[in-house]
Short mmCIF file of all heavy atoms in Angstrom, two decimals:
data_model
loop_
_atom_site.label_atom_id
_atom_site.label_comp_id
_atom_site.label_asym_id
_atom_site.label_seq_id
_atom_site.Cartn_x
_atom_site.Cartn_y
_atom_site.Cartn_z
N THR A 588 2.00 -3.74 -10.26
CA THR A 588 1.19 -2.65 -10.80
C THR A 588 -0.18 -2.78 -10.25
O THR A 588 -0.73 -1.72 -9.76
CB THR A 588 1.18 -2.73 -12.33
OG1 THR A 588 2.52 -2.69 -12.69
CG2 THR A 588 0.43 -1.50 -12.91
N ASP A 589 -0.81 -3.95 -10.19
CA ASP A 589 -2.16 -4.07 -9.73
C ASP A 589 -2.23 -3.71 -8.22
O ASP A 589 -3.25 -3.11 -7.71
CB ASP A 589 -2.69 -5.43 -9.95
CG ASP A 589 -2.91 -5.83 -11.52
OD1 ASP A 589 -2.76 -4.89 -12.29
OD2 ASP A 589 -2.98 -7.06 -11.79
N VAL A 590 -1.32 -4.27 -7.48
CA VAL A 590 -1.35 -3.99 -5.99
C VAL A 590 -1.15 -2.46 -5.71
O VAL A 590 -1.92 -1.95 -4.85
CB VAL A 590 -0.22 -4.82 -5.31
CG1 VAL A 590 -0.08 -4.38 -3.90
CG2 VAL A 590 -0.50 -6.31 -5.35
N ASN A 591 -0.26 -1.90 -6.47
CA ASN A 591 0.06 -0.39 -6.24
C ASN A 591 -1.19 0.33 -6.57
O ASN A 591 -1.58 1.26 -5.84
CB ASN A 591 1.26 -0.03 -7.09
CG ASN A 591 1.74 1.42 -6.68
OD1 ASN A 591 1.81 1.67 -5.51
ND2 ASN A 591 2.13 2.07 -7.69
N ASN A 592 -1.84 0.09 -7.68
CA ASN A 592 -2.97 0.76 -8.04
C ASN A 592 -4.17 0.59 -7.09
O ASN A 592 -4.97 1.49 -6.84
CB ASN A 592 -3.37 0.41 -9.51
CG ASN A 592 -2.40 0.91 -10.61
OD1 ASN A 592 -1.64 2.02 -10.25
ND2 ASN A 592 -2.39 0.34 -11.73
N GLY A 593 -4.30 -0.66 -6.67
CA GLY A 593 -5.34 -0.96 -5.81
C GLY A 593 -5.27 -0.37 -4.42
O GLY A 593 -6.17 0.14 -3.91
N LEU A 594 -4.05 -0.21 -3.93
CA LEU A 594 -3.82 0.43 -2.69
C LEU A 594 -4.10 1.88 -2.79
O LEU A 594 -4.64 2.58 -1.84
CB LEU A 594 -2.42 0.12 -2.21
CG LEU A 594 -2.11 -1.25 -1.70
CD1 LEU A 594 -0.54 -1.50 -1.46
CD2 LEU A 594 -2.95 -1.64 -0.57
N ARG A 595 -3.61 2.48 -3.85
CA ARG A 595 -3.85 3.99 -4.03
C ARG A 595 -5.31 4.32 -4.06
O ARG A 595 -5.69 5.44 -3.86
CB ARG A 595 -3.03 4.39 -5.44
CG ARG A 595 -1.61 4.52 -5.27
CD ARG A 595 -1.07 5.00 -6.59
NE ARG A 595 0.47 5.23 -6.49
CZ ARG A 595 1.20 5.63 -7.52
NH1 ARG A 595 0.63 5.82 -8.72
NH2 ARG A 595 2.46 5.80 -7.29
N ALA A 596 -6.10 3.39 -4.63
CA ALA A 596 -7.48 3.65 -4.81
C ALA A 596 -8.37 3.49 -3.51
O ALA A 596 -9.51 3.92 -3.57
CB ALA A 596 -8.12 2.75 -5.88
N LEU A 597 -7.69 2.98 -2.57
CA LEU A 597 -8.56 2.94 -1.26
C LEU A 597 -8.90 4.19 -0.63
O LEU A 597 -8.17 5.19 -0.76
CB LEU A 597 -7.73 2.03 -0.28
CG LEU A 597 -7.44 0.56 -0.47
CD1 LEU A 597 -6.57 -0.04 0.50
CD2 LEU A 597 -8.84 -0.24 -0.45
N PRO A 598 -10.06 4.35 -0.11
CA PRO A 598 -10.43 5.55 0.65
C PRO A 598 -9.50 5.77 1.84
O PRO A 598 -9.19 4.87 2.60
CB PRO A 598 -11.78 5.36 1.08
CG PRO A 598 -11.99 3.81 1.01
CD PRO A 598 -11.11 3.35 0.01
N GLY A 599 -9.07 7.04 2.07
CA GLY A 599 -8.23 7.28 3.23
C GLY A 599 -6.72 7.18 2.85
O GLY A 599 -5.90 7.52 3.74
N VAL A 600 -6.38 6.73 1.70
CA VAL A 600 -4.96 6.63 1.35
C VAL A 600 -4.57 7.86 0.54
O VAL A 600 -5.10 8.18 -0.47
CB VAL A 600 -4.82 5.24 0.40
CG1 VAL A 600 -3.40 5.29 -0.13
CG2 VAL A 600 -5.02 4.01 1.28
N HIS A 601 -3.46 8.45 1.03
CA HIS A 601 -2.92 9.65 0.41
C HIS A 601 -1.98 9.33 -0.75
O HIS A 601 -1.89 9.95 -1.90
CB HIS A 601 -2.20 10.45 1.45
CG HIS A 601 -1.45 11.76 0.83
ND1 HIS A 601 -0.16 11.76 0.56
CD2 HIS A 601 -1.99 13.01 0.54
CE1 HIS A 601 0.15 12.93 -0.01
NE2 HIS A 601 -1.02 13.69 0.09
N SER A 602 -1.10 8.24 -0.53
CA SER A 602 -0.16 7.91 -1.50
C SER A 602 0.23 6.51 -1.30
O SER A 602 0.20 5.94 -0.18
CB SER A 602 1.03 8.85 -1.55
OG SER A 602 1.89 8.73 -0.44
N CYS A 603 0.84 5.91 -2.20
CA CYS A 603 1.41 4.41 -2.16
C CYS A 603 2.55 4.31 -3.10
O CYS A 603 2.55 4.68 -4.29
CB CYS A 603 0.35 3.40 -2.50
SG CYS A 603 0.97 1.70 -2.55
N ASN A 604 3.75 3.90 -2.61
CA ASN A 604 4.86 3.74 -3.35
C ASN A 604 5.61 2.42 -3.20
O ASN A 604 5.85 2.08 -1.95
CB ASN A 604 5.82 4.84 -2.98
CG ASN A 604 5.35 6.34 -3.34
OD1 ASN A 604 5.30 6.56 -4.60
ND2 ASN A 604 5.16 7.07 -2.40
N PRO A 605 5.89 1.73 -4.23
CA PRO A 605 6.66 0.43 -4.03
C PRO A 605 8.04 0.71 -3.50
O PRO A 605 8.74 1.62 -4.00
CB PRO A 605 6.64 -0.13 -5.31
CG PRO A 605 5.56 0.53 -6.15
CD PRO A 605 5.49 2.02 -5.57
N LEU A 606 8.44 -0.15 -2.57
CA LEU A 606 9.78 -0.03 -2.05
C LEU A 606 10.79 -1.01 -2.61
O LEU A 606 11.91 -1.03 -2.17
CB LEU A 606 9.78 -0.07 -0.50
CG LEU A 606 8.88 1.05 0.22
CD1 LEU A 606 8.93 0.77 1.73
CD2 LEU A 606 9.41 2.49 -0.08
N GLY A 607 10.27 -1.91 -3.41
CA GLY A 607 11.11 -2.84 -3.94
C GLY A 607 10.73 -4.28 -3.67
O GLY A 607 9.86 -4.52 -2.83
N GLU A 608 11.34 -5.15 -4.43
CA GLU A 608 11.04 -6.66 -4.25
C GLU A 608 11.81 -7.13 -3.13
O GLU A 608 12.92 -7.08 -3.06
CB GLU A 608 11.27 -7.47 -5.59
CG GLU A 608 10.80 -8.88 -5.58
CD GLU A 608 11.00 -9.51 -6.84
OE1 GLU A 608 11.84 -9.03 -7.62
OE2 GLU A 608 10.29 -10.51 -7.06
N ARG A 609 11.12 -7.70 -2.02
CA ARG A 609 11.84 -8.18 -0.88
C ARG A 609 12.06 -9.75 -0.96
O ARG A 609 12.99 -10.26 -0.31
CB ARG A 609 10.91 -8.03 0.34
CG ARG A 609 10.59 -6.58 0.65
CD ARG A 609 12.00 -5.80 0.77
NE ARG A 609 11.77 -4.36 1.08
CZ ARG A 609 12.34 -3.33 0.52
NH1 ARG A 609 13.11 -3.57 -0.54
NH2 ARG A 609 12.18 -2.16 0.94
N GLU A 610 11.29 -10.50 -1.80
CA GLU A 610 11.51 -11.89 -2.03
C GLU A 610 10.75 -12.11 -3.33
O GLU A 610 9.93 -11.28 -3.83
CB GLU A 610 11.06 -12.81 -0.98
CG GLU A 610 9.62 -12.64 -0.51
CD GLU A 610 9.33 -13.36 0.81
OE1 GLU A 610 9.12 -14.54 0.68
OE2 GLU A 610 9.28 -12.83 1.90
N LYS A 611 10.89 -13.29 -3.90
CA LYS A 611 10.32 -13.60 -5.25
C LYS A 611 8.84 -13.35 -5.35
O LYS A 611 8.15 -14.02 -4.55
CB LYS A 611 10.76 -15.02 -5.76
CG LYS A 611 10.25 -15.27 -7.22
CD LYS A 611 10.74 -16.59 -7.61
CE LYS A 611 10.37 -16.97 -9.04
NZ LYS A 611 10.89 -15.93 -10.04
N GLY A 612 8.34 -12.41 -6.18
CA GLY A 612 6.92 -12.03 -6.23
C GLY A 612 6.49 -11.28 -5.07
O GLY A 612 5.17 -11.04 -5.02
N VAL A 613 7.24 -10.91 -4.08
CA VAL A 613 6.71 -10.16 -3.01
C VAL A 613 7.32 -8.75 -2.95
O VAL A 613 8.48 -8.58 -2.97
CB VAL A 613 7.06 -10.83 -1.72
CG1 VAL A 613 6.60 -10.04 -0.44
CG2 VAL A 613 6.42 -12.20 -1.69
N PHE A 614 6.50 -7.71 -2.91
CA PHE A 614 6.94 -6.32 -2.92
C PHE A 614 6.45 -5.65 -1.62
O PHE A 614 5.43 -6.07 -1.02
CB PHE A 614 6.41 -5.60 -4.06
CG PHE A 614 7.11 -5.90 -5.44
CD1 PHE A 614 6.83 -7.03 -6.03
CD2 PHE A 614 8.04 -5.05 -6.02
CE1 PHE A 614 7.53 -7.43 -7.25
CE2 PHE A 614 8.66 -5.36 -7.13
CZ PHE A 614 8.32 -6.58 -7.83
N GLU A 615 7.30 -4.70 -1.21
CA GLU A 615 6.87 -3.90 -0.06
C GLU A 615 6.41 -2.55 -0.58
O GLU A 615 7.04 -1.87 -1.49
CB GLU A 615 8.08 -3.74 0.94
CG GLU A 615 7.64 -3.14 2.28
CD GLU A 615 8.70 -3.34 3.29
OE1 GLU A 615 9.00 -4.49 3.71
OE2 GLU A 615 9.26 -2.32 3.78
N TYR A 616 5.33 -2.08 0.09
CA TYR A 616 4.87 -0.79 -0.25
C TYR A 616 4.74 0.14 0.94
O TYR A 616 4.39 -0.19 1.99
CB TYR A 616 3.42 -0.90 -0.81
CG TYR A 616 3.31 -1.90 -2.03
CD1 TYR A 616 3.28 -3.36 -1.72
CD2 TYR A 616 3.38 -1.56 -3.31
CE1 TYR A 616 3.24 -4.24 -2.77
CE2 TYR A 616 3.30 -2.48 -4.37
CZ TYR A 616 3.19 -3.82 -4.02
OH TYR A 616 3.19 -4.73 -5.11
N LEU A 617 5.04 1.48 0.78
CA LEU A 617 4.88 2.49 1.68
C LEU A 617 3.52 3.10 1.40
O LEU A 617 3.42 3.86 0.48
CB LEU A 617 6.00 3.41 1.69
CG LEU A 617 5.90 4.67 2.65
CD1 LEU A 617 5.74 4.13 4.16
CD2 LEU A 617 6.95 5.66 2.53
N VAL A 618 2.60 2.94 2.35
CA VAL A 618 1.22 3.48 2.23
C VAL A 618 1.00 4.55 3.10
O VAL A 618 1.06 4.31 4.37
CB VAL A 618 0.15 2.33 2.33
CG1 VAL A 618 -1.21 2.88 2.03
CG2 VAL A 618 0.54 1.17 1.55
N GLU A 619 0.79 5.81 2.60
CA GLU A 619 0.60 7.00 3.55
C GLU A 619 -0.89 7.27 3.64
O GLU A 619 -1.56 7.46 2.62
CB GLU A 619 1.26 8.19 2.88
CG GLU A 619 2.91 8.05 2.90
CD GLU A 619 3.47 8.44 4.17
OE1 GLU A 619 2.80 8.84 5.08
OE2 GLU A 619 4.74 8.22 4.32
N PRO A 620 -1.45 7.41 4.86
CA PRO A 620 -2.82 7.73 4.94
C PRO A 620 -3.09 9.26 4.91
O PRO A 620 -2.13 10.02 4.97
CB PRO A 620 -3.13 7.16 6.40
CG PRO A 620 -1.86 7.38 7.26
CD PRO A 620 -0.70 7.09 6.09
N GLU A 621 -4.33 9.53 4.78
CA GLU A 621 -4.69 10.99 4.72
C GLU A 621 -4.94 11.49 6.26
O GLU A 621 -6.02 10.83 6.80
CB GLU A 621 -5.97 11.35 3.96
CG GLU A 621 -5.71 10.95 2.41
CD GLU A 621 -7.03 11.24 1.65
OE1 GLU A 621 -8.13 11.36 2.26
OE2 GLU A 621 -6.86 11.30 0.36
N GLY A 622 -4.14 12.33 6.73
CA GLY A 622 -4.31 12.67 8.15
C GLY A 622 -4.19 11.45 9.06
O GLY A 622 -3.15 10.71 9.00
N ALA A 623 -5.10 11.35 10.01
CA ALA A 623 -5.08 10.21 10.95
C ALA A 623 -5.87 9.12 10.55
O ALA A 623 -6.17 8.24 11.47
CB ALA A 623 -5.49 10.79 12.34
N ALA A 624 -6.24 8.84 9.26
CA ALA A 624 -7.10 7.85 8.91
C ALA A 624 -6.40 6.46 9.20
O ALA A 624 -5.18 6.25 9.02
CB ALA A 624 -7.37 7.84 7.34
N ASP A 625 -7.22 5.49 9.70
CA ASP A 625 -6.83 4.18 9.90
C ASP A 625 -7.23 3.28 8.66
O ASP A 625 -8.44 2.92 8.52
CB ASP A 625 -7.50 3.49 11.13
CG ASP A 625 -6.86 2.32 11.56
OD1 ASP A 625 -6.24 1.66 10.81
OD2 ASP A 625 -7.18 1.72 12.78
N ILE A 626 -6.22 2.92 7.92
CA ILE A 626 -6.30 2.24 6.66
C ILE A 626 -6.05 0.76 6.71
O ILE A 626 -6.15 0.00 5.71
CB ILE A 626 -5.62 2.85 5.61
CG1 ILE A 626 -4.09 2.89 5.89
CG2 ILE A 626 -6.07 4.27 5.26
CD1 ILE A 626 -3.13 3.56 4.79
N ARG A 627 -5.72 0.24 7.94
CA ARG A 627 -5.31 -1.19 7.99
C ARG A 627 -6.37 -2.08 7.58
O ARG A 627 -6.07 -3.16 6.87
CB ARG A 627 -4.85 -1.36 9.41
CG ARG A 627 -3.48 -0.71 9.85
CD ARG A 627 -3.37 -0.88 11.28
NE ARG A 627 -4.44 -0.34 12.21
CZ ARG A 627 -4.49 -0.47 13.40
NH1 ARG A 627 -3.53 -1.14 14.07
NH2 ARG A 627 -5.57 -0.01 14.14
N ARG A 628 -7.63 -2.01 8.02
CA ARG A 628 -8.62 -2.97 7.73
C ARG A 628 -8.96 -2.99 6.18
O ARG A 628 -9.23 -3.97 5.60
CB ARG A 628 -9.96 -2.60 8.52
CG ARG A 628 -9.59 -2.92 10.06
CD ARG A 628 -10.88 -2.37 10.91
NE ARG A 628 -10.60 -2.70 12.34
CZ ARG A 628 -9.69 -1.94 13.10
NH1 ARG A 628 -9.10 -0.93 12.58
NH2 ARG A 628 -9.50 -2.35 14.36
N ASP A 629 -8.98 -1.61 5.68
CA ASP A 629 -9.25 -1.60 4.14
C ASP A 629 -8.18 -2.26 3.39
O ASP A 629 -8.52 -2.98 2.33
CB ASP A 629 -9.43 -0.17 3.84
CG ASP A 629 -10.59 0.63 4.27
OD1 ASP A 629 -11.65 -0.11 4.55
OD2 ASP A 629 -10.55 1.77 4.53
N ILE A 630 -6.97 -2.22 3.80
CA ILE A 630 -5.92 -2.93 3.08
C ILE A 630 -6.13 -4.47 3.22
O ILE A 630 -5.95 -5.26 2.28
CB ILE A 630 -4.42 -2.47 3.68
CG1 ILE A 630 -4.12 -1.06 3.32
CG2 ILE A 630 -3.35 -3.44 3.07
CD1 ILE A 630 -2.89 -0.53 4.00
N PHE A 631 -6.52 -4.99 4.48
CA PHE A 631 -6.73 -6.37 4.57
C PHE A 631 -7.91 -6.84 3.73
O PHE A 631 -7.72 -7.82 2.98
CB PHE A 631 -7.00 -6.57 6.12
CG PHE A 631 -7.61 -7.94 6.42
CD1 PHE A 631 -6.74 -9.11 6.42
CD2 PHE A 631 -8.89 -8.24 6.46
CE1 PHE A 631 -7.14 -10.34 6.71
CE2 PHE A 631 -9.43 -9.56 6.63
CZ PHE A 631 -8.46 -10.55 6.81
#
């Protein structure tokens, strides 16, 4: 929940959706940017 909300709140992020638990305590998220925004560094 914290990760999903934190990613959604980043500037340049249009949407964020959890894709499920891939291993114990590790979830994968599909993060969609707004237009051509480069959001990699902000996520890091």
Side-chain angles (χ1 to χ4, degrees):
T588 302
D589 293 345
V590 172
N591 192 41
N592 291 336
L594 292 173
R595 284 182 175 178
L597 288 175
V600 171
H601 177 264
S602 65
C603 177
N604 295 292
L606 299 178
E608 189 174 21
R609 299 304 185 229
E610 51 190 285
K611 187 173 178 59
V613 178
F614 285 77
E615 189 165 298
Y616 306 82
L617 176 61
V618 188
E619 297 276 356
E621 293 178 349
D625 187 349
I626 56 177
R627 294 171 299 172
R628 291 171 182 80
D629 290 333
I630 292 174
F631 170 80

